[in-house]
Amino acid sequence: MDEKIQDIYLTNKKMRKKWQAFLEERGIKNFAENEVNLIQQTIGIFNEQDELIATGSLAGNVIKYVAVCDVISETKGARFNKIISELENRLSQVECFHYFVYTKPMYQKSFEHVGFKLLAATSLGILMEKGTPNITDYIASIPHFPIKKRIASIVMNANPFTKGHRFLVEKAASENDYVYVFVVNQDASLFKTNERIELIKRGTADLKNVVVVNGGDYMVSYVSFASYFIKNTDQIIKYQTMLDAKIFKNNIIKPLGITSRYLGSEPFSHTTSLYNDALKKELGNDIQVIIVPRKKISGVTVSATKVREAIATGNFGEFTDYVPKTTADYIIQNMENIQLRIRERAEN
Amino acid sequence: MEIKKSAIAGTLESSDVQIMLSTGKNGFEFELESDVAKQFGDQIKETIVNVLKKYKIENAEIRVIDKGALDMVIKARAITAAQRALDIVDTPQWEVL
């Protein structure tokens, strides 16, 4: 039987319709434009009658939208293996050797057979990874503290690092022996990842029991929690926040001996407030989840959003009170560059 | 020789094997997934190690997904993976073969 692999271009409306129908028949339902727009390439296997019989897509280092028709197949699973092989080859061509897949719980075994390992599972979907450096390598790369100590954790984007962030870190540092500050790794914010990490390091340099580490793919990333960066429905946000919380629970807490996670209360962002709920629910039985009310200065809640708006409108002078001197100095030194980036982002 | 970058060769299709090599520190570290690991696991590892040794590789993380490949297939895939990992695809070491 002659079956061939071909690229599928979703910009072709007819093809897109065919592709979507094929996936829908196999129970994949989320075709929100935000999600589909993240796809960089899609491949399909077509039979002699030019019917689509298997497909898979790549969005960065995430394998998505995999579906296979096993009817009239020589061997069960042959087409699935072919699709995954081809996707992995394409990933290796761009030097990507560590990747993820979202799938339904029922397909866990199929992906295990081709070398994927489970990171977190919910009833709606599971997240698996393959390749290197994986979660074990990630944990090994982080400084470890003596176990049986009070070890706090905070995950922050800090776009940029404000006095609000500082307040949260300070509180955790004063109430614990050690504090991990995990920084969101996704370069999707106004301040680049290395800038955000650097500003947190500078702004907490005096706190000797605090260590700042990159959160990698495992904490609030396109992989673990894409809705943090793109708009989505509540149902998807709830699913993703649950998954992100479970990754933390299953893979991060124990090897690092973490005993608490500190969160800032979230009066402004609906998504982040759902995230806080998920963390409380998922982590609450294992570690202390401490929600700290947001810091106010002269009665106004400090937020990085306000700082960014002030930079955009050139009123930063009025907001220097909101950020530590280390952040203020950096912004003033790089004002033109940051404003340029804001304009570019607005245009896109 | 040191492995400078990760590399992959082979597929997950029946009778083939997929081999991923990456930088290692402690000799040869294997992760093997195969339906016949119990019967042929050691032999699969040995075939790959022999190839790597010919390339003078001493440390590597080796991830293998075997789908029932025969010895010569395993050898061929290991050679390709090694050449890619050492970045010598353009100047193959024919004498290894």
Side-chain angles (χ1 to χ4, degrees):
Chain A
M1 204 183 306
D2 195 24
E3 296 181 350
K4 47 182 197 280
I5 294 192
Q6 280 177 357
D7 284 273
I8 293 177
Y9 298 101
L10 299 178
T11 41
N12 175 337
K13 280 197 182 114
K14 212 173 135 198
M15 199 57 235
R16 159 78 196 256
K17 223 173 145 188
K18 201 169 168 182
W19 170 80
Q20 185 163 333
F22 182 79
L23 288 165
E24 275 171 339
E25 273 172 43
R26 280 152 192 88
I28 295 175
K29 296 267 154 57
N30 178 15
F31 293 94
E33 280 308 304
N34 299 335
E35 281 291 338
V36 176
N37 286 343
L38 290 176
I39 295 177
Q40 285 148 344
Q41 33 180 331
T42 298
I43 56 167
I45 302 179
F46 295 84
N47 66 9
E48 279 166 329
Q49 289 79 43
D50 210 28
E51 290 163 335
L52 182 61
I53 47 178
T55 179
S57 297
L58 295 176
N61 57 349
V62 185
I63 295 174
K64 283 183 176 171
Y65 295 105
V66 176
V68 174
C69 158
D70 250 334
V71 180
I72 338 175
S73 170
E74 307 134 88
T75 346
K76 207 166 176 295
R79 288 173 189 153
F80 172 80
N81 292 356
K82 212 175 199 167
I83 283 284
I84 302 300
S85 290
E86 178 64 20
L87 292 174
E88 286 191 61
N89 268 335
R90 289 177 183 222
L91 286 162
S92 77
Q93 278 161 16
V94 292
E95 309 248 311
C96 177
F97 296 98
H98 177 227
Y99 26 85
F100 299 87
V101 66
Y102 274 113
T103 187
K104 296 203 155 90
M106 58 191 286
Y107 299 124
Q108 183 177 340
K109 275 263 150 11
S110 306
F111 279 98
E112 277 173 356
H113 272 296
V114 291
F116 283 81
K117 292 206 171 69
L118 186 71
L119 279 173
T122 74
S123 55
L124 285 171
I126 62 174
L127 178 68
M128 305 177 80
E129 72 169 346
K130 177 175 175 180
T132 169
N134 60 17
I135 185 82
T136 319
D137 302 320
Y138 173 72
I139 294 290
S141 74
I142 295 174
H144 285 51
F145 299 123
I147 45 163
K148 301 246 166 100
K149 294 279 183 185
R150 282 171 303 166
I151 303 174
S153 60
I154 304 172
V155 178
M156 58 171 67
N157 194 23
N159 180 33
F161 188 71
T162 66
K163 280 187 181 166
H165 297 112
R166 164 79 197 190
F167 173 71
L168 188 64
V169 179
E170 237 173 35
K171 184 168 163 60
S174 69
E175 293 171 356
N176 293 275
D177 298 311
Y178 301 101
V179 181
Y180 283 111
V181 176
F182 295 104
V183 187
V184 170
N185 179 46
Q186 204 74 52
D187 242 334
S189 303
L190 174 61
F191 288 83
K192 305 270 168 245
T193 303
N194 53 14
E195 290 178 304
R196 289 184 284 109
I197 291 178
E198 189 52 37
L199 289 178
I200 299 173
K201 280 188 176 162
R202 286 185 201 171
T204 58
D206 58 313
L207 303 170
K208 296 301 171 208
N209 58 344
V210 173
V211 54
V212 180
V213 291
N214 190 318
D217 283 320
Y218 302 104
M219 282 162 255
V220 189
S221 67
Y222 275 157
V223 174
S224 71
F225 179 15
S227 306
Y228 188 81
F229 308 99
I230 57 170
K231 280 205 170 65
N232 249 325
T233 62
D234 270 16
Q235 196 201 349
I236 294 170
I237 295 172
K238 277 179 188 160
Y239 157 62
Q240 291 185 351
T241 52
M242 202 198 322
L243 209 56
D244 184 283
K246 286 205 176 194
I247 296 172
F248 196 80
K249 175 187 165 123
N250 296 350
N251 304 285
I252 312 284
I253 289 177
K254 218 185 239 164
L256 296 179
I258 289 167
T259 53
S260 62
R261 179 148 167 187
Y262 283 67
L263 314 169
S265 68
E266 187 48 69
F268 301 120
S269 157
H270 176 59
T271 308
T272 310
S273 114
L274 288 175
Y275 185 42
N276 283 358
D277 291 345
L279 289 169
K280 243 190 312 185
K281 198 168 152 222
E282 293 299 330
L283 306 180
N285 291 333
D286 299 61
I287 58 172
Q288 263 187 298
V289 178
I290 298 158
I291 300 188
V292 181
R294 291 279 281 263
K295 184 178 174 63
K296 291 185 179 177
I297 292 179
S298 333
V300 185
T301 306
V302 177
S303 85
T305 313
K306 286 192 187 119
V307 174
R308 293 197 300 276
E309 282 165 4
I311 296 171
T313 53
N315 289 333
F316 181 64
E318 293 168 31
F319 287 84
T320 44
D321 270 358
Y322 279 32
V323 294
K325 188 170 180 304
T326 44
T327 303
D329 287 349
Y330 183 85
I331 292 173
I332 291 162
Q333 273 165 27
N334 298 281
M335 188 59 95
E336 271 180 37
N337 180 300
I338 298 167
Q339 284 179 331
L340 180 71
R341 273 190 249 159
I342 294 175
R343 282 196 296 275
E344 280 170 359
R345 286 167 70 86
E347 278 163 25
N348 293 330
Chain B
M1 288 243 255
E2 284 295 316
I3 290 181
K4 298 171 205 118
K5 55 173 202 177
S6 296
I8 195 167
T11 75
L12 304 162
E13 292 174 52
S14 186
S15 307
D16 201 349
V17 60
Q18 184 195 61
I19 301 178
M20 190 192 280
L21 294 178
S22 40
T23 315
K25 291 182 204 82
N26 317 307
F28 299 118
E29 292 177 275
F30 272 95
E31 222 173 78
L32 172 70
E33 161 82 35
S34 170
D35 285 344
V36 291
K38 226 184 246 169
Q39 298 92 326
F40 296 111
D42 291 341
Q43 197 180 321
I44 293 169
K45 287 178 188 172
E46 198 191 322
T47 306
I48 296 171
V49 164
N50 285 340
V51 170
L52 299 186
K53 279 184 178 160
K54 284 190 183 157
Y55 281 96
K56 307 221 163 24
I57 294 169
E58 282 156 10
N59 298 295
E61 279 182 25
I62 309 151
R63 291 177 169 79
V64 184
I65 317 288
D66 169 58
K67 292 289 168 194
L70 295 174
D71 223 41
M72 63 224 180
V73 176
I74 299 170
K75 194 176 164 193
R77 295 310 194 188
I79 289 171
T80 311
Q83 305 228 103
R84 285 178 180 165
L86 297 173
D87 218 356
I88 52 166
V89 179
D90 298 337
T91 51
Q93 300 184 355
W94 296 113
E95 64 274 21
V96 169
L97 309 171

